[in-house]
Amino acid sequence: MKGIVLAGGSGTRLYPLTAATSKQLLPVYDKPMVYYPLSVLMLAGIRDVLIISTPASVPAMRALLGDGAHLGMNITYAEQAEPNGIAEAFLIGADHIGAEDSALILGDNIFHGTGFPSLLRDTRKNLDGATLFGYPVSDPERYGIGELDERGNLVSLEEKPTRPRSDNAITGLYFYDSDVVEIARGLAPSARGELEITDVNKEYLRAGRARLVRLGRGFTWLDAGTHESLLEASQYVHVLENRQGVRVACLEEIALRMGFINADECYSLGERMTNSQYGRYVMTVARSAA
């Protein structure tokens, strides 16, 4: 399976913070925002990842993450000149995906919850068409919404409905089979001139090949796209890490736990950051695994 992190867009909701830098390079407590979506793909066992960003931001992304070899991964980069819709990621990433299944995650989405790694790997293993992830919200009219029947089958999808049929907001994490590229190529742009991800999902739903996994109690989903939600995400990570003594979205630790790198390699990565608490944490994790 191939992974895509869509880290494009102009980030205008976060101005002036994003006037000179990518939104996905802003800090969420102790690490760049892009670490969080990348960590989700890693937890799903995906090692081949394409990061799509703006032409101005790709060099900075590459400077931060390199080619991924230090994490036992293969990270490549592509440009999205204009924010032409989420589904455009499949046109930009068509060669990257090839004939394989893929997972797409938005660059400002943060997920956390007990059992999430197992859920991701099970979803990947049992993928048949499209798998979406729903999260209960109190203001469903602001989101794309998925309706489930009494048996848990996905029966409808609506974008920002005035009369929502459920509270299941569709999050920015999507798993698709290899048909997704051709489906995206066949889409007509919306009235805004964008290729909408909801239209991709509706094509799978019409074919009876879309399901929704509801992330309920014990899970957290945050969209760090506004000043308020960025602060909320930082506070959430800060409290969690300080109370539990573990770090959320620590790429080096995940690479070690997933078997992408060994303990010595992990320790060396921590040594490069030894003056920071993050680096010392990575070294401690590596020592405990040696």
Side-chain angles (χ1 to χ4, degrees):
M1 176 175 274
K2 300 296 184 68
I4 297 177
V5 177
L6 183 55
S10 53
T12 53
R13 291 186 298 166
L14 284 166
Y15 269 23
L17 291 177
T18 51
T21 190
S22 167
K23 170 175 64 176
Q24 289 81 16
L25 294 175
L26 295 176
V28 176
Y29 183 47
D30 58 349
K31 59 191 76 69
M33 187 186 298
V34 72
Y35 272 41
Y36 295 86
L38 182 57
S39 73
V40 171
L41 298 181
M42 293 173 67
L43 288 170
I46 299 171
R47 302 177 69 164
D48 199 344
V49 174
L50 174 69
I51 295 179
I52 300 175
S53 193
T54 65
S57 298
V58 164
M61 291 284 181
R62 185 178 283 112
L64 175 67
L65 297 167
D67 63 3
H70 61 295
L71 297 171
M73 299 180 65
N74 178 42
I75 299 176
T76 53
Y77 303 85
E79 297 178 357
Q80 185 184 40
E82 300 290 339
N84 294 321
I86 296 172
E88 189 184 37
F90 297 110
L91 306 187
I92 296 171
D95 290 340
H96 168 71
I97 296 170
E100 296 193 36
D101 298 342
S102 60
L104 169 67
I105 187 168
L106 303 187
D108 59 2
N109 273 221
I110 297 171
F111 295 84
H112 185 262
T114 302
F116 193 42
S118 297
L119 177 62
L120 291 170
R121 292 193 288 273
D122 288 345
T123 299
R124 175 181 176 180
K125 179 181 178 182
N126 299 312
L127 181 65
D128 180 19
T131 297
L132 316 177
F133 295 84
Y135 189 82
V137 294
S138 59
D139 48 355
E141 64 279 356
R142 295 181 54 239
Y143 300 89
I145 296 297
E147 178 190 8
L148 300 175
D149 65 15
E150 63 279 1
R151 294 176 294 177
N153 297 316
L154 182 63
V155 294
S156 74
L157 290 164
E158 293 183 281
E159 188 66 28
K160 298 180 180 178
T162 55
R163 295 181 178 179
R165 298 177 181 176
S166 83
D167 63 352
N168 291 313
I170 305 300
T171 70
L173 174 62
Y174 317 87
F175 281 61
Y176 297 106
D177 68 9
S178 58
D179 293 338
V180 69
V181 173
E182 287 306 312
I183 290 174
R185 282 177 175 153
L187 294 181
S190 67
R192 298 183 299 175
E194 298 182 355
L195 297 180
E196 303 286 356
I197 197 67
T198 299
D199 292 338
V200 171
N201 297 334
K202 285 182 176 179
E203 285 296 318
Y204 277 103
L205 182 59
R206 275 191 282 268
R209 301 179 62 233
R211 74 182 188 106
L212 185 142
V213 175
R214 183 177 166 95
L215 303 176
R217 187 183 299 272
F219 283 92
T220 297
W221 169 55
L222 300 169
D223 175 351
T226 66
H227 295 103
E228 291 78 10
S229 59
L230 180 61
L231 177 60
E232 179 186 359
S234 292
Q235 291 172 332
Y236 173 82
V237 174
H238 172 253
V239 170
L240 191 67
E241 292 187 351
N242 278 273
R243 286 185 178 177
Q244 296 187 357
V246 297
R247 294 192 179 260
V248 180
C250 177
L251 302 185
E252 297 81 3
E253 179 179 13
I254 294 171
L256 175 62
R257 304 297 188 206
M258 295 298 297
F260 297 175
I261 60 176
N262 61 37
D264 290 340
E265 291 167 329
C266 184
Y267 189 86
S268 295
L269 294 176
E271 275 191 313
R272 300 176 191 176
M273 303 176 283
T274 190
N275 286 334
S276 71
Q277 290 184 351
Y278 183 93
R280 291 192 290 274
Y281 173 82
V282 172
M283 293 166 67
T284 299
V285 166
R287 279 195 297 264
S288 68

